[in-house]
Amino acid sequence: MIEELLKLAQDAKASDIHLAPDHPVMFRINGTLCEAAGEVSAEEVDRFLHTVLSRVQWSALEKDGETEAAVTCSEAFRIRIYAYRQQGRYAAAVRLLSLKVPDGRELGIPDAVMGFAGMSRGLVLLTGEAGSGRTTTAASLLQEIAGTKAKHIVTIEHPVEYLLSKGNSLISQREIGTDAGSYAKAIQAAVRQDADVLLVSELPDAEAVWEAILAAEAGVLVIVLLSDGRIEDALRQLIDVFPAHRKELVQTLLSKVFAGASAQQLLPCMDGAGRALLSEVLLADKEVQLMIREGRLALLTSVMEQKKHNGMQTMDDAILSAYMKSVISAETAAAYAQEPEQMRRKMKIY
């Protein structure tokens, strides 16, 4: 069942598969959920899960009612699976992953974001809502580094999604729960392990945020994945996990180590053939660092608008550009814009 289902999803260019007892198999294609095959039984879902999950993962599912894993199913497929119990029976959401890390330029990652791979130290934020492709962007950056430099690259993930090729580098991919107990301790350990580059798939608490900042201050290039839709919100999230009496110190240290950030979305293309990657980009300079230090994050949007020549751009800039190139429709542009009315006025001008 598993090989046939994954091949069917791959041929349909689906990003996700949803399996639930007594429901049709559903694929997510270009962001839209659609029926792909007939109903599956509870027994078929159980057989699928037993095939892809380890004993430990199956035990966690039985105990907690949910588990998450990334699995290489064959020479052709790697998947990320989130299995869960609902109404006493098991269901699953499966994301298809490429065995080969995609090339960032082929994905449409902006040159300014690919430039993060050339940095030697500092804190880089890659943010975006679930399904925005931020993990793929991170993997592309790391593969770029591995292929062009001799670095020790450490990833801290839950679970490990893309398997990186070592290239010229040493790769250490650690999974929370299996290889490490917590994000904060794993970040601390990465510094002691002489990491040059560190990817952290999330920062769940203040301790982890603090350790990521300290790692960047120690000279590591730290790339962090967050789930906010805007760079301003991502930075605010890092600061607001701390109590009021510590925020000034955090803002000061964060401003010193901040190297750049990207927030991304995947928007449906006008021709219906896939989705376009659009990115908001903020790069560190003295003005940006001053605003972070003083907590004036709301002004960062104006900085991005004014410094397009440096590679910065707001999400609405990226959306308008995609519309002008006929990549996305006017309806899509307005629907995804931060300022819909302003976007409509700009589109009328063009």
Side-chain angles (χ1 to χ4, degrees):
M1 173 187 178
I2 181 170
E3 290 285 341
E4 295 175 0
L5 185 59
L6 293 176
K7 182 65 167 61
L8 185 64
Q10 184 184 59
D11 291 344
K13 297 183 178 179
S15 61
D16 301 86
I17 304 168
H18 290 267
L19 301 174
D22 304 327
H23 283 273
V25 176
M26 306 291 284
F27 288 172
R28 188 173 296 279
I29 302 174
N30 295 333
T32 301
L33 206 60
C34 55
E35 187 173 325
E39 288 187 0
V40 290
S41 66
E43 292 75 17
E44 288 175 312
V45 176
D46 285 359
R47 280 200 299 272
F48 176 87
L49 293 177
H50 272 295
T51 301
V52 298
L53 296 178
S54 68
R55 290 182 182 178
V56 173
Q57 291 158 351
W58 181 261
S59 296
L61 176 61
E62 290 185 313
K63 177 184 176 182
D64 303 326
E66 57 192 7
T67 193
E68 189 172 14
V71 182
T72 301
C73 299
S74 67
E75 293 182 358
F77 298 105
R78 184 167 172 81
I79 61 173
R80 175 173 178 161
I81 181 167
Y82 190 89
Y84 58 97
R85 188 165 54 236
Q86 53 92 29
Q87 296 184 344
R89 299 187 294 179
Y90 296 121
V94 179
R95 173 153 296 172
L96 277 69
L97 304 172
S98 174
L99 283 173
K100 180 183 178 183
V101 177
D103 181 85
R105 293 166 186 84
E106 293 177 3
L107 292 172
I109 298 174
D111 289 342
V113 177
M114 289 303 300
F116 295 155
M119 295 177 175
S120 59
R121 61 186 300 166
L123 181 68
V124 169
L125 307 180
L126 300 179
T127 189
E129 297 173 354
S132 64
R134 64 185 185 274
T135 302
T136 303
T137 295
S140 297
L141 291 175
L142 294 181
Q143 200 61 73
E144 177 79 8
I145 296 169
T148 57
K149 301 176 181 179
K151 299 286 187 180
H152 183 197
I153 300 172
V154 177
T155 75
I156 302 169
E157 306 172 72
H158 181 61
V160 172
E161 295 196 14
Y162 286 98
L163 299 179
L164 301 173
S165 300
K166 63 179 182 179
N168 299 311
S169 295
L170 169 65
I171 307 289
S172 301
Q173 295 190 257
R174 308 189 69 203
E175 185 166 311
I176 296 296
T178 302
D179 304 312
S182 73
Y183 280 94
K185 290 182 179 179
I187 296 169
Q188 271 186 343
V191 177
R192 295 195 296 271
Q193 292 154 7
D194 192 31
D196 298 296
V197 182
L198 173 62
L199 171 70
V200 186
S201 68
E202 63 177 292
L203 295 175
D205 50 40
E207 186 181 7
V209 174
W210 182 251
E211 292 300 337
I213 292 173
L214 292 183
E217 188 180 38
V220 180
L221 176 61
V222 182
I223 301 173
V224 173
L225 304 186
L226 298 170
S227 57
D228 295 280
R230 301 174 63 199
I231 293 172
E232 174 190 332
D233 295 333
L235 285 165
R236 185 168 283 111
Q237 174 189 333
L238 296 184
I239 296 167
D240 285 350
V241 295
F242 293 92
H245 70 275
R246 292 190 65 191
K247 286 185 179 181
E248 185 176 345
L249 174 60
V250 171
Q251 287 171 188
T252 299
L253 290 179
L254 182 58
S255 70
K256 290 180 179 179
V257 301
F258 178 76
S262 173
Q264 62 184 55
Q265 297 186 77
L266 292 173
L267 273 59
C269 294
M270 189 159 61
D271 59 8
R275 293 186 290 172
L277 172 64
L278 302 183
S279 302
E280 179 174 87
V281 183
L282 177 68
L283 304 176
D285 62 17
K286 290 183 179 180
E287 185 178 10
V288 168
Q289 290 170 329
L290 178 63
M291 289 179 177
I292 294 173
R293 184 166 68 247
E294 295 180 350
R296 296 184 291 141
L297 303 181
L299 298 179
L300 292 174
T301 297
S302 64
V303 173
M304 288 184 280
E305 289 173 344
Q306 295 164 11
K307 297 187 177 182
K308 297 176 187 177
H309 59 284
N310 290 341
M312 300 193 207
Q313 65 180 7
T314 66
M315 181 58 74
D316 282 5
D317 287 336
I319 290 173
L320 181 61
S321 177
Y323 165 74
M324 291 172 62
K325 294 174 182 176
S326 299
V327 175
I328 61 174
S329 68
E331 292 77 13
T332 297
Y336 285 88
Q338 300 288 343
E339 302 289 343
E341 289 304 319
Q342 188 175 9
M343 179 62 67
R344 291 188 182 95
R345 288 195 295 271
K346 288 181 178 179
M347 288 190 293
K348 286 180 181 178
I349 295 173
Y350 293 105

